[in-house]
Amino acid sequence: MAFESLIIPFLMFLSKATTEELCPLRRSIDVLEGEYFFLCFPGSIRESLHSKPYTVTWLKESEGKMNSIQETHRLVLNERFLEFWPAELSDLGNYTYRFSNGTYVMSQKWFLNVLKRSKDSCFNTNHLSRQVVEAGRVHTLKCNAVPHNKNITIMWYKNCNIHNSANEEELHFPSLIIEDSGNYTCVVSISHAGKAFNTTSTIELMVKDGAAEVVKLEIIEPGETYVETHIGKEVILNCTVFLGYSNGAKPVYLLHWLDKSLNSCSENTKEEQSICEKEYNFDSGNKMYFSKLLWIKTVKEEDLNCNYTCLLQTTHKPQLKVFKLKKGNPPDLHPHVFTTGIIMAVFFSLVPVLLVVLSVIFKVDLVLFYRDITGKDDTIGDGKEYDAFVSYLKDSISTNVEERKFALEILPKTLEDRFGYKLCIFERDVSPGGAVVDDVQSFIDKSRRLIIILSQNYISDSVMYELETGLHKALVERKIKIILIEYMHISDYNALPKSLELLPSRRVVKWKEDKSPPSNSRFWKNLRYLMPVKASKSNIRLHNNSMSPISEEGTQGTTVWWESKTFL
């Protein structure tokens, strides 16, 4: 018997509870085909350990491997119950119930033998128990087929004839007579899923004149038993003896472990006492058992090489049961540890993704912050005199007053005075008297960027030459990058040169009178991002106040965006 099943009686003793339902402790169980049946794990044992989160698994052996049982309309998993509605011949095999709460892993094993139903009788001769009782005694037969579901009807038969239809679980005999001998079958009927199912139990009652039948005392599963364990864990070895029936004569026997130095386990057992024994009696139906437990509190390496022998001495030949400890497989990972590991793995896998997303969303802010703290300057030694040439509407018409103010005051005040850029503004920086076309081209060549302040009037103005010159140098000569600013609304983009479509992006910076003026606004951040990399005069803190979507910079033409506008 494996350790997991041997520990069950000991825990029953510790919890001082008895099994409320019929939960077979024996290893081999017979059941008739076509009948309702269930396997169950004693509730008193599980309830004493389920204060912690626990898992329950039902397994069946198939081709030498234990596989989890999947619930079907016929096989129902109900916590510690495995129900068969009904049992079939294919259900024959080894079954295991496994209970784990992170500290203890316990299991119970059964071999289920499914018997064919007899065609000539209401019971199978291989599926009955025997009770031998003296005549004149008070006796009770109990129906062992009663399921844990109490919504049932019971009918008793004697030798396949109706004997009692009072729907009682027990058949009571005030005083047995010889004629009471016979085969008593209780038929339990139960409904499930709209169908009726039966389960039966047959008892062969033998009433004799004289003493009850003498039974042979024997160790349950004698011989060698290997118990899997781990170093540092505790293990309980169970040596159990069948003593006969409760109505039989008192047996004479001696059961003990072959180690004279053992002390009895008690609540006051000292921690330093590494091994002790405990004994107790228990009944299963009318069968009596006696157990002696060997409790090894902490398994050591040397314990794996020892034999632990249990000896039964009776009036017959002595019987031995030898336990050998062997190192088991590493224990399963605790459910909480596994869950925590999964959460941590997911978290650390998402961190890089999150960082990438944030770096994309806040690209402009990060780049400007990097420029400020490093003081990087890419303009040194490039032979250019100006950071940007500003092109705007210069004709004296009534609609461009604010635009002129933006180009001549607002733009230079922020870019030059605040951030240290040097702008070339034709009206301000170019001496009159020269050839305008030549001067424009010369100053564009001396500039690193071409800032074009677009407006509806700009499109029809002579400054379109500046835009066309800049586009030629950006797209053909690749000497400059263009920054487009929509200061006023443009209703018709078709008037712009078609070559503008060849720029890497067709987006513009849109000036908003109510939001754009502050030097730390998104407008100025996106504009600075597209300006040449140059040491700034601003305080780094100005760029930590507002974080919002990014802008793009091409390799040939440069554009800044705030709201999308398509030129075509």
Side-chain angles (χ1 to χ4, degrees), residues 334-346:
H334 192 280
H336 293 299
V337 176
F338 177 77
T339 303
T340 303
I342 291 296
I343 293 175
M344 294 299 292
V346 172

Side-chain angles (χ1 to χ4, degrees), residues 1 221-227 307-308 320-324:
M1 183 183 297
E221 297 184 356
E224 286 189 351
T225 298
Y226 286 89
V227 179
N307 293 340
Y308 299 90
L320 295 175
K321 183 166 186 177
V322 180
F323 292 88
K324 294 184 177 182

Side-chain angles (χ1 to χ4, degrees), residues 389 394 426 430-443 462-463 465-466:
F389 180 90
K394 305 177 183 64
F426 192 88
V430 179
S431 301
V436 175
V437 173
D438 293 338
D439 288 341
V440 167
Q441 184 167 343
S442 172
F443 281 100
S462 59
V463 295
Y465 171 75
E466 297 173 2

Side-chain angles (χ1 to χ4, degrees), residues 366-407:
L366 294 174
V367 170
L368 294 180
F369 179 76
Y370 174 77
R371 292 180 185 177
D372 287 335
I373 63 174
T374 60
K376 186 178 181 182
D377 193 337
D378 290 345
T379 65
I380 299 175
D382 64 356
K384 302 287 185 178
E385 183 177 350
Y386 300 99
D387 293 307
F389 180 90
V390 180
S391 175
Y392 67 100
L393 178 64
K394 305 177 183 64
D395 288 349
S396 298
I397 60 178
S398 59
T399 59
N400 73 339
V401 175
E402 294 181 358
E403 184 177 347
R404 288 172 59 83
K405 181 180 179 181
F406 175 77

Side-chain angles (χ1 to χ4, degrees), residues 38 108 110 114 140 152 174 181 195 299 360 384 395 434 440 469 491 506 510 550 554 561:
F38 65 89
Q108 171 72 13
W110 301 269
V114 183
T140 300
I152 58 174
S181 297
K195 297 181 180 179
V299 176
V360 172
K384 302 287 185 178
D395 288 349
V440 167
T469 301
S491 59
R506 296 191 299 272
K510 184 174 181 180
I550 66 164
W561 63 273

